[in-house]
Amino acid sequence: MDKLLIEGGARLAGEIDASGAKNAALPILCATLLSADAVTLHNLPQLQDVRTTQRLLRELGAEVQAEDPTAVTVQARDLVTHTAPYELVKTMRASILVLGPLLARLGEARVSLPGGCAIGARPVDIHLEGLRAMGADIRVEGGFIHARASKLQGTRFVMDTVTVTGTENLMMAATLAEGTTLLENAACEPEIGDLATCLNAMGARISGAGTSTIRIEGVERLHGAEHRILPDRIEIGTFLVAAAMTRGSVTVRQTGSGLLDAVLRKLQQAGARIHCEADSIQLDMAGRRPVSVDVHTAPFPGFPTDMQAQFMALDCIADGVATISENVFENRFMHALELQRLGADIRIEGHMAVVRGREQLEGAPVMATDLRASAGLVLAGLVADRQTLVDRIYHLDRGYERLEEKFRALGAYVQRVTHIPQEAA
Ligand code: UD1
């Protein structure tokens, strides 16, 4: 199994390009099921989760053709089954995103329950309630969600909790419903706006995506379209935090704008000089040690839970004491135990962590527990003394494109290894 070997100490400097957003690519790939015509997507990130979603689309009968490494055309003309099998769904929770499109297009969908995952229970009750409100008959049997509706009906649905994939599933289903659907207390993440842009290009009639009330007027059918996936704000944020931690100066290109204001504000509080252009973000620490920053995760436009582990890593070596509160997921501090193995001073109390910054962390072997937790460990490794070996990096490969290559382009020593050098084992 691959591991990442990191030699700490390099001050990051240089320029890299952001990739397309994983969390936009996955729902948009699933949205192609809504039309019999060809949909071409550009700026797709090359990630394990994207490959898994393409496999799922093929299983369902769609033709998926790679135009080049970052572009694919999907044509779901003749779907052969309405069942998303457990073997695929269990490896990626986002597979639940085929539920709304399959039901709307075929009138029936069987999707394996995604189950729990390392960062919390993550139920899908709101997805199901919303589809029921649109007239679907839904049963959960034998580990599968079985949904049926000859024709979904537009409705007004107030979501109990702000859920990103829940909003996306219901928005997709509503595009082909009869009448108008109003989704209230909807998630406002930029990836939802990107999905709506793609759906509208396919002929859907969606307004308000990116606000907490989304209005979808159902149409008879959707047609083919071409769409470019928006940049990955979590990847961009991760590289900017790495630059801040190593006291470096880094420019990320192809960033879009307005995607990560809450994160940039925190980096400024940590002492970074930030310069934004229309399509790039430059961060410069001018050699200074970052100052501790408190973090309070919340749905967009609040501070993203997907950046919490990276800021915990920053606070581990910052000047001062910081409080981190995780308010989106109930069990998302597993990286704290691994950071402690590197010498970090972290105290956990329920959904709060108190992090006392240290001058220096010590390299050690550590274990990744989930996607963003692993990013936090890599960042800590970049500033730790000697070598850090991060195990179970298949988590990283689910969400970061060519991570070690991009870090190396900025001057870091990060190697993917299968045989471990003796001193780091
Ligand atoms: C998405 C993102 C993930 C990010 C998360 C929060 C994708 C593919 N993944 O995950 O990277 O960390 O948003 O920004 O876009 N909940 C319920 N019932 C439901 C659905 C959710 O109680 O039916 C709860 C969850 O347990 C969690 C909270 O709502 O506590 C938010 O989860 P949600 O926004 O649904 O996360 P995902 O969409 O799975």
Side-chain angles (χ1 to χ4, degrees):
M1 202 186 297
D2 288 0
K3 302 174 201 260
L4 273 193
L5 181 64
I6 303 158
E7 190 122 12
R11 186 174 287 187
L12 299 193
E15 301 192 352
I16 49 161
D17 290 334
S19 299
K22 169 180 88 73
N23 286 354
L26 304 184
I28 289 173
L29 280 166
C30 296
T32 62
L33 294 171
L34 286 161
S35 172
D37 299 343
V39 178
T40 301
L41 302 175
H42 300 277
N43 202 31
L44 268 187
Q46 295 176 60
L47 301 171
Q48 194 52 46
D49 276 7
V50 168
R51 285 187 282 273
T52 305
T53 308
Q54 291 179 13
R55 238 184 93 196
L56 181 53
L57 296 179
R58 282 197 187 97
E59 292 269 326
L60 295 167
E63 279 175 34
V64 183
Q65 263 187 338
E67 308 290 328
D68 66 53
T70 63
V72 299
T73 296
V74 184
Q75 182 155 19
R77 187 176 30 220
D78 304 307
L79 293 173
V80 293
T81 171
H82 56 253
T83 299
Y86 175 65
E87 291 64 44
L88 281 175
V89 175
K90 73 173 182 203
T91 65
M92 192 186 63
R93 209 188 115 79
S95 317
I96 189 71
L97 285 165
V98 298
L99 179 65
L102 282 179
L103 179 62
R105 172 91 188 278
L106 301 176
E108 188 164 6
R110 268 183 92 239
V111 179
S112 168
L113 269 173
C117 84
I119 64 173
R122 294 175 106 183
V124 290
D125 54 320
I126 298 168
H127 303 231
L128 306 190
E129 259 178 58
L131 293 173
R132 279 198 186 103
M134 295 166 78
D137 171 40
I138 297 185
R139 285 167 209 197
V140 178
E141 47 202 13
F144 274 81
I145 301 161
H146 193 175
R148 266 182 289 212
S150 51
K151 182 79 179 164
L152 291 168
Q153 302 295 322
T155 188
R156 173 172 170 264
F157 182 67
V158 184
M159 286 188 243
D160 233 13
T161 310
V162 177
T163 154
V164 176
T165 47
T167 301
E168 292 165 344
N169 236 338
L170 299 179
M171 187 167 85
M172 288 189 281
T175 57
L176 294 180
E178 199 169 285
T180 299
T181 301
L182 274 183
L183 296 178
E184 296 194 19
N185 197 26
C188 303
E189 268 65 6
E191 292 75 21
I192 293 173
D194 203 39
L195 170 63
T197 304
C198 179
L199 288 166
N200 283 342
M202 293 165 70
R205 302 183 68 177
I206 302 171
S207 56
T211 75
S212 59
T213 302
I214 304 178
R215 181 188 163 91
I216 307 117
E217 272 175 62
V219 295
E220 265 308 306
R221 59 180 295 274
L222 296 182
H223 51 70
E226 207 158 330
H227 178 77
R228 185 176 170 82
I229 308 284
L230 94 169
D232 195 315
R233 63 196 164 97
I234 306 301
E235 185 204 29
I236 298 165
T238 301
F239 279 99
L240 294 179
V241 174
M245 288 174 70
T246 61
R247 310 183 185 191
S249 172
V250 162
T251 300
V252 185
R253 295 175 303 221
Q254 297 180 22
T255 53
S257 67
L259 292 175
L260 63 173
D261 292 352
V263 169
L264 296 184
R265 247 190 330 272
K266 287 292 165 192
L267 286 166
Q268 280 167 329
Q269 280 174 21
R273 280 203 303 257
I274 306 262
H275 178 72
C276 294
E277 298 276 343
D279 214 20
S280 70
I281 302 173
Q282 186 200 22
L283 179 146
D284 190 359
M285 284 304 278
R288 289 188 307 269
R289 180 184 179 192
V291 178
S292 292
V293 282
D294 292 338
V295 162
H296 176 99
T297 67
F300 192 85
F303 185 92
T305 173
D306 286 351
M307 285 300 300
Q308 182 256 102
Q310 299 87 321
F311 270 78
M312 185 180 281
L314 179 139
D315 281 328
C316 287
I317 50 93
D319 186 8
V321 180
T323 306
I324 297 181
S325 62
E326 172 55 58
N327 308 299
V328 178
F329 291 112
E330 70 267 30
N331 184 22
R332 208 174 197 184
F333 279 147
M334 282 161 311
H335 42 282
L337 292 173
E338 297 299 307
L339 287 169
Q340 283 167 349
R341 290 175 49 74
L342 301 174
D345 182 348
I346 305 170
R347 210 180 65 240
I348 306 279
E349 284 167 21
H351 70 110
M352 305 269 284
V354 179
V355 186
R356 194 174 295 272
R358 299 210 111 131
E359 283 279 351
Q360 185 67 59
L361 298 176
E362 301 285 330
V366 288
M367 189 94 82
T369 50
D370 66 70
L371 169 53
R372 305 305 169 184
S374 18
L377 298 177
V378 172
L379 299 193
L382 291 175
V383 293
D385 208 16
R386 299 191 300 271
Q387 292 185 338
T388 296
L389 188 67
V390 184
D391 200 352
R392 301 202 177 160
I393 58 162
Y394 53 83
H395 289 295
L396 273 176
D397 294 334
R398 287 189 38 224
Y400 287 95
E401 179 177 81
R402 296 181 289 113
L403 184 85
E404 66 268 30
E405 224 177 272
K406 289 191 183 187
F407 272 128
R408 279 205 297 271
L410 298 174
Y413 180 92
V414 182
Q415 291 290 344
R416 184 176 289 257
V417 289
T418 7
H419 301 291
I420 308 131
Q422 209 50 49
E423 67 272 21

